[in-house]
Amino acid sequence: MRLATRVLLFLNKFFRPPVHPFNLANQGTMRYADWQFERGHLTLEHYRPFASPEEIMKGKTVLDIGSGAGGKTLYYATLGVKKIYGVDVVPHYEEEARAMATEKNLADRAEFLTADATQLPFADDFFDVIIANDVMEHVAEPEAVLREAFRVLKPGGRFFTNFPPYYHPYGAHLSDVIGIPWVHALFSEPVLIEAYRELVRGLPDADMRLRLRLGDPERNSTRLTYINHMTIKRFRRIVAESPFHVAHWRLVPLRSFLRPLAVLAPEFFMKAVVCILEKPARA
């Protein structure tokens, strides 16, 4: 084991990780889908300066990219959608999401499928709204995701997205077991991976966690494939080069009292990038 890994593991003993759905599920406290459902309203609150949750969803045909176990998708469904589709690349989420839709009597309004956001199985101009919560920091080809979103949106349709930038305190997305803020700015990815392997060892869902973070955990020990290092600067460029019109852009600081630091070093002290993109209406 690397010396740096030993240092990380030692320091981590002094930091309690934030509440994480994987740990809640292991403790038998709450399923991932239920955790998503309970937090669905928080996603939509990001857009309230532009539109209320009901204005975004009511009567609309909606696509939720990166729907996970379907909880947030089903929360959106309760807001009067005409129909909502949830897509995710993790196959077992489809079954979990469909089961929860049946539990909540929302199966007539919510449909789930396993699909790549760069190759969506929908016709052109199909959706009124696309929402992507905590997605743009994960996808391998964010430019292709935006191009595909543009294709399936109706003219005048809107793409709602929010995500934590890479240098967010927990932007490495390892906070299920590593509680050190900005750990990815202090240690290399091979060190993070080695420490993560050690910390999940023995957990009942260790294999799932490793595959989610690393893709192929048997061969990959150098790169976190679960993240794409999406910074604010990079996303600004991607949006500027996309065919979308920017309807709303906002950066949310970690805490209100940290606003001065967020102005000086936004990549490190912003909690979320909030962006609404609009497909121009045809002339």
Side-chain angles (χ1 to χ4, degrees), residues 36 43 62-68 72-73 76 84-89 112-113 115-122 127 129-139 142 144-150 152-153 158-162 244:
Q36 285 187 304
T43 296
V62 181
L63 174 64
D64 182 18
I65 294 176
S67 53
K72 60 188 175 181
T73 315
Y76 305 151
I84 189 165
Y85 298 81
V87 299
D88 202 286
V89 295
F112 296 92
L113 59 156
D116 186 332
T118 66
Q119 298 179 4
L120 294 167
F122 301 103
F127 293 101
V129 166
I130 297 177
I131 188 162
N133 170 53
D134 288 347
V135 168
M136 297 308 294
E137 78 274 34
H138 294 301
V139 293
V145 171
L146 285 189
R147 286 195 300 270
E148 187 70 344
F150 189 87
V152 300
L153 268 176
R158 289 171 178 157
F159 178 92
F160 293 77
T161 188
N162 66 280
F244 281 104

Side-chain angles (χ1 to χ4, degrees), residues 8-239:
L8 192 163
L9 292 171
F10 173 76
L11 293 175
N12 195 53
K13 296 176 182 179
F14 301 97
F15 293 87
R16 178 180 295 178
V19 175
H20 195 282
F22 292 171
N23 298 329
L24 293 176
N26 276 353
Q27 296 158 10
T29 305
M30 182 181 291
R31 295 179 305 178
Y32 176 37
D34 294 320
W35 180 84
Q36 285 187 304
F37 189 87
E38 285 198 0
R39 295 174 61 84
H41 70 286
L42 297 176
T43 296
L44 297 178
E45 285 298 317
H46 283 302
Y47 310 113
R48 190 173 285 279
F50 183 87
S52 71
E54 291 75 17
E55 288 172 325
I56 295 170
M57 295 291 171
K58 191 171 183 179
K60 305 291 177 59
T61 301
V62 181
L63 174 64
D64 182 18
I65 294 176
S67 53
K72 60 188 175 181
T73 315
L74 293 169
Y75 173 79
Y76 305 151
T78 67
L79 300 176
V81 300
K82 181 179 179 181
K83 186 70 178 281
I84 189 165
Y85 298 81
V87 299
D88 202 286
V89 295
V90 180
H92 68 83
Y93 284 152
E94 181 180 336
E95 182 179 349
E96 293 175 30
R98 289 181 175 180
M100 190 177 190
T102 300
E103 287 176 21
K104 294 191 174 293
N105 296 315
L106 292 168
D108 59 329
R109 274 182 278 170
E111 186 173 323
F112 296 92
L113 59 156
T114 304
D116 186 332
T118 66
Q119 298 179 4
L120 294 167
F122 301 103
D124 295 357
D125 304 341
F126 190 84
F127 293 101
D128 301 296
V129 166
I130 297 177
I131 188 162
N133 170 53
D134 288 347
V135 168
M136 297 308 294
E137 78 274 34
H138 294 301
V139 293
E141 300 177 84
E143 296 89 348
V145 171
L146 285 189
R147 286 195 300 270
E148 187 70 344
F150 189 87
R151 180 185 70 79
V152 300
L153 268 176
K154 296 175 182 177
R158 289 171 178 157
F159 178 92
F160 293 77
T161 188
N162 66 280
F163 65 91
Y166 176 62
Y167 288 108
H168 177 282
Y170 299 108
H173 288 269
L174 302 176
S175 63
D176 49 320
V177 291
I178 298 178
I180 304 169
W182 294 288
V183 68
H184 51 305
L186 302 171
F187 296 92
S188 69
E189 286 196 13
V191 168
L192 295 176
I193 290 169
E194 190 173 36
Y196 190 81
R197 287 181 187 276
E198 182 64 26
L199 290 165
V200 302
R201 189 189 307 276
L203 294 179
D205 57 353
D207 184 67
M208 180 277 290
R209 298 193 195 207
L210 289 171
R211 291 191 179 281
L212 187 66
R213 308 301 189 207
L214 306 177
D216 183 350
E218 299 301 321
R219 299 184 181 182
N220 179 22
S221 61
T222 61
R223 187 170 65 90
L224 295 168
T225 59
Y226 189 55
I227 54 174
N228 61 20
H229 302 78
M230 183 64 73
T231 61
I232 299 169
K233 181 179 179 180
R234 181 184 175 197
F235 191 66
R236 280 188 189 275
R237 177 183 57 76
I238 291 171
V239 167

